[in-house]
Structure formats: structure tokens, C-alpha cells
Amino acid sequence: MSKAPVHEQWQNRWIFILAATGSAVGLGNIWKFPYITGENGGGAFVLVYLLCVAGLGIPIMLAEVLLGARGRLSPVNSMRSAVAESKVSKAWVSIGWMGVLAGLMILCFYSVIAGWALDYVALTAIGTFNGATAVDAKNIFENMLASPGTLIFWHTVFMLMTMGVLLAGVTKGLGMVARVLMPILFVVMLIMLGYAMVTGEFMQAVSFMFSFNFSALTSKSILIALGHAFFTLSLGMGAIMAYGAYMHKDGKLGQTVLTIGFLDTLIALVAGLCIFPIVFAQGASPSSGPGLLFQSLPIAFGAMPGGLIFGTLFFVLVVIAAWSSAVSLIEPGVAWLIETKKFTRKQACLVLGMAVWAVGVLCALSFNVLGDFTPIWLFGKNIFDFLDFATSQLMLPIGGLLMALFVGWKLARPALAHEVGNLQTPAMKMWLFALRYISPVMVSIVLVVGLYNALLS
Ligand code: PFF
């Protein structure tokens, strides 16, 4: 089945790898991974996370890229063509729909957090944290959250940045992310690593992250590691499927996916090795939760040589990482509107961008004026927490589970073989085994236990 592509294509395989890495590397790597590692005791958690990426993440990512590469359309329409080709129930197309919706929902709150990082670029650059104490840093963070104007302003700036890239299209916009932003991100990350090595408690950080003390590991940590493997690799919602659709035919899917998984993991580990040495150098606790990046780290930078420059650079890094992920959250919806509703790219970006912006404003208000709006139909959560919960704990795992089942059991074998080659090699047999048995069991456990915890808490 060969069709003329509806969309533009990546210029080459490396542009695809870098764009997909841009989607994968985001707030999940730089903000969330270090703090959940800190909260879950360090080394043993890192090991479990690595096992989840290898055993669950990589196999599902290959399934997702393959569906995109096969269909060469938005997740909804790629699923439609895979369903038609495999002669199975149309209900499987819901994978695509859920993905489009999940992406838009994630972007609503993701943009608000990215807005915090933008605010912190400005705050750090003007020296707000010079000589700041822990109490100062806490107040600065809380004042930001309490100010609707500040949160909405930076959320708006971030959405404009995201829409700017999307408007420019696949080659110029998303390709620019790959060609320009990703190399900048790698270089800034190396500079930060060097800074952490020279000025921070580097060896203490290494031993914190890589000495496997299993007594600190609880069953909840394992679930967190599993859920995070999905989020960090951008799996289960069609972002990677949409990117896979813009790939050339000679994609070498297996190698490509391994490279993306490797780069994403490497960057999460390096982020930890940038942050913990600085946190330890100031005697701060690694287990301070979501505030690690926005409270502990700024104080540390404020007290260190060159902290103004390196602190600012660090938050620029967070913004770049979030930016390159945000564009992939909305692209599946944009592609679908272009294909099915005959929108121009500009119209599609405007419609979806404005919808996400409006719900994002409600997310920003969840930290202040709408903080008490926690109706029962949002599971007793505020809008921000509900969107986070519904996507990270339900929709991404369900999407990933369905993709694994679809490719493992339903997708027509000739279609599968056409995309990945000989299915009888040991690597391919292992991959299919992981998709058919390991992923469904592991993901079902995450889902059930996650839901149970959420309903009880
Ligand atoms: N992988 C991104 C991160 O780690 O921040 C988040 C994300 C992007 C999740 C795109 C899902 C997605 F489709």
C-alpha cells in the first residue's frame, strides 16, 4: 500500500530522531524525574525506571511509530487505515481519538508549568535569588502561584511560542525544533553538567543516583516509575505516531526507536547529575518534591559563584525542553483537522491553540481563585490536578495498552512485516512477546492500582 503523503516529511532520519527526542525530552525529564527520584530514595528507583523504559517503553514506542509510518496520517486516520487493512473492529480507531484529546488536555496544564519556567528565567536573570533564603524562595514561588495575572501572562507567552512553531509547518517549524533547539539543549545541558561537576557535590549526587538501596523502594515507587516511563517517552497519545507519519520509508524503525529511548534516558540522568550536586552543595534535601526545581535550586544558584548566569541558563534549558514537547502535544489534532476538515494549517493552529489557551487559563486559576473548585465530577480535584490525573494516570496508560494489544494481536502480519522486516529474528520475537504479554500486564497493573489510589485518596 503506497500513498502520496498528505503532509510534509522530515528531511532525513536524524531530523525525525531529534524531533521525537524533542517531544520526549521535556518537563518530565528535567522537572519531574529529578524530584520523583529524590522522593523515592534515589538509586533503586532509577534502576526500576530504566527497566520500565526498556521493557515497556521501547516496545510500545516501536508499535506507535510503526502505526504512524504505516498510515502516514494523523493518529485518527492512521488508525483508520490500519483497522481497514487488518479487517478488525472500528472501535480500535478510538486509540487515535483518545490520543488527540489527551494531547490537547496535557498541553493545557503543561503550558502553565512551562510558564513558571519562563517566569523563573526572568526572575533569575534580574538577580531575585541572589542571597535568597529558603523562606524567600518559598515566598517567591507561592506569590507566583497566587497571582493569576503572572500565571496567565506566562502561559500566554508559552502558547504563542508553541503556535509559532506549529504555524511554520513540519519542515520549517517542527524541523527547526530538531535542527536548532535540540542541539542548543544538548550544549546547554553539557555546560550545566560541567558547572555542577566543578561547583557542586558531584560524587554525592552520583552515589545518590546509582547506589541501589532497595530498602527505600516501595510498591508505590514502582508504579510511579512505570507511569513516568510513559510520560517521559511521550507514549500512548499519538504524538510519536504523528511524528512517525512524517518519516521517510527507509525509516529503520528498530534502531530509530532505540536511539530516541536512549537519548531521552540519557538526558533525564544528566538532568539529575546537574541538579543534585547543586542541591547537595547547599545542604538542601533531594526529597522536597515538585518545589525542587523552583525552590531548592534557585536558592542554591543564588548562593553559588556564577549563579546568576548559570541559573538563568538552567531555566532557559527547561523552557526549551518544554517547548519542543509542547509542539508535539498539539500536532496530532492539527494534522487531523487539516486532513479531515480541510482546514489550512493556520486555521487548525488558531482553533486548537485558542481552545487550549482558554482551558489553560482555568488551569492557571486552579492555583488561586479556582483553588476550591473541586467538584465531584472532577473526582474532587481542581481543574489542573484533574487534567494531570486523567491524562497521565488514565489516558496515556490506556492508549499505550491498546496500542500494544493492537499491534501485538490485531495488526495484519504482512503490514507488520512490511514495516519492521523479518518477524522471526530473536529481537523481533522478543518485541512481539513484550507487546502481547509483558506490556498489557504491566500497564493494567499501573492502571488499576493508580485508579484505586486516586479514588481512595
Ligand atoms: N515527554 C514529555 C516530557 O517528558 O515532558 C511530555 C509529553 C510530551 C507527554 C508529548 C506526552 C506527549 F505526547
Side-chain angles (χ1 to χ4, degrees):
M1 201 174 71
S2 86
K3 300 174 247 163
V6 176
H7 301 281
E8 294 171 77
Q9 307 254 298
W10 305 116
Q11 282 145 323
N12 57 52
R13 192 168 79 96
W14 269 99
I15 298 285
F16 167 68
I17 291 181
L18 289 175
T21 305
S23 167
V25 172
L27 294 170
N29 303 58
I30 305 182
W31 170 60
K32 203 161 178 198
F33 176 73
Y35 91 72
I36 55 179
T37 300
E39 281 184 331
N40 290 283
F45 176 82
V46 173
L47 185 65
V48 174
Y49 163 78
L50 294 178
L51 291 175
C52 292
V53 166
L56 179 78
I58 302 280
I60 294 187
M61 188 187 266
L62 181 52
E64 194 167 334
V65 173
L66 177 153
L67 287 169
R70 183 81 190 146
R72 307 182 114 197
L73 292 168
S74 68
V76 174
N77 290 326
S78 285
M79 281 310 297
R80 273 212 175 101
S81 74
V83 158
E85 192 176 18
S86 311
K87 301 192 180 56
V88 293
S89 159
K90 287 207 173 71
W92 288 101
V93 178
S94 56
I95 297 179
W97 284 116
M98 206 170 55
V100 168
L101 190 66
L104 299 175
M105 287 165 70
I106 295 177
L107 187 56
C108 299
F109 70 86
Y110 202 82
S111 168
V112 175
I113 309 181
W116 300 356
L118 276 170
D119 191 25
Y120 269 62
V121 171
L123 289 175
T124 316
I126 58 173
T128 313
F129 296 103
N130 281 353
T133 62
V135 177
D136 298 332
K138 190 162 177 277
N139 286 339
I140 293 168
F141 187 60
E142 285 174 358
N143 285 342
M144 175 186 75
L145 294 187
S147 159
T150 310
L151 294 185
I152 294 174
F153 175 74
W154 290 114
H155 158 60
T156 308
V157 172
F158 186 76
M159 281 306 296
L160 289 174
M161 289 163 60
T162 305
M163 302 326 293
V165 170
L166 283 163
L167 278 174
V170 176
T171 325
K172 287 210 197 101
L174 303 176
M176 179 284 289
V177 166
R179 284 188 315 269
V180 182
L181 291 190
M182 293 319 286
I184 296 181
L185 184 134
F186 294 141
V187 171
V188 176
M189 198 108 210
L190 279 179
I191 296 176
M192 288 308 304
L193 185 66
Y195 177 74
M197 278 176 167
V198 174
T199 53
E201 288 295 334
F202 193 71
M203 285 329 286
Q204 194 181 342
V206 171
S207 100
F208 177 69
M209 286 179 66
F210 300 106
S211 57
F212 304 128
N213 165 15
F214 283 92
S215 63
L217 201 68
T218 62
S219 60
K220 192 152 177 237
S221 324
I222 299 178
L223 290 176
I224 293 176
L226 214 56
H228 188 64
F230 264 95
F231 189 80
T232 189
L233 292 173
S234 303
L235 292 182
M237 60 135 285
I240 294 291
M241 203 192 292
Y243 277 19
Y246 308 148
M247 203 162 52
H248 285 279
K249 270 296 161 193
D250 62 338
K252 294 193 196 129
L253 298 188
Q255 276 175 33
T256 303
V257 163
L258 281 175
T259 314
I260 300 166
F262 172 76
L263 287 174
D264 182 71
T265 308
L266 183 72
I267 290 183
L269 295 176
V270 172
L273 290 176
C274 292
I275 292 169
F276 289 122
I278 297 173
V279 169
F280 287 137
Q282 298 307 311
S285 158
S287 60
S288 51
L292 184 69
L293 208 70
F294 294 100
Q295 293 182 49
S296 314
L297 208 59
I299 321 172
F301 278 124
M304 294 178 81
L308 188 95
I309 294 173
F310 287 98
T312 310
L313 203 58
F314 178 80
F315 284 107
V316 169
L317 177 74
V318 179
V319 170
I320 292 179
W323 193 16
S324 60
S325 298
V327 292
S328 74
L329 284 163
I330 197 165
E331 179 62 21
V334 169
W336 177 74
L337 282 179
I338 295 174
E339 287 158 10
T340 316
K341 299 286 170 204
K342 303 289 171 256
F343 277 47
T344 61
R345 183 164 264 278
K346 198 166 165 190
Q347 289 163 334
C349 289
L350 282 179
V351 169
L352 294 182
M354 274 160 60
V356 169
W357 176 83
V359 182
V361 167
L362 298 179
C363 289
L365 297 180
S366 303
F367 289 95
N368 35 69
V369 291
L370 289 181
D372 294 330
F373 180 68
T374 53
I376 192 77
W377 51 273
L378 293 182
F379 289 78
K381 297 176 189 296
N382 65 34
I383 299 169
F384 183 100
D385 290 339
F386 171 76
L387 287 176
D388 181 15
F389 163 76
T391 51
S392 322
Q393 301 213 25
L394 297 178
M395 295 167 92
L396 298 193
I398 293 175
L401 172 68
L402 293 176
M403 282 179 204
L405 292 174
F406 183 79
V407 174
W409 296 98
K410 298 287 178 183
L411 184 67
R413 293 296 109 163
L416 193 58
H418 188 263
E419 297 304 323
V420 290
N422 184 359
L423 295 173
Q424 297 309 322
T425 61
M428 283 297 123
K429 280 189 174 163
M430 258 166 60
W431 171 60
L432 275 177
F433 183 79
L435 277 190
R436 292 177 146 198
Y437 303 102
I438 302 178
S439 312
V441 172
M442 283 166 73
V443 179
S444 303
I445 297 176
V446 188
L447 268 171
V448 173
V449 182
L451 207 58
Y452 179 79
N453 285 340
L455 292 178
L456 282 192
S457 65

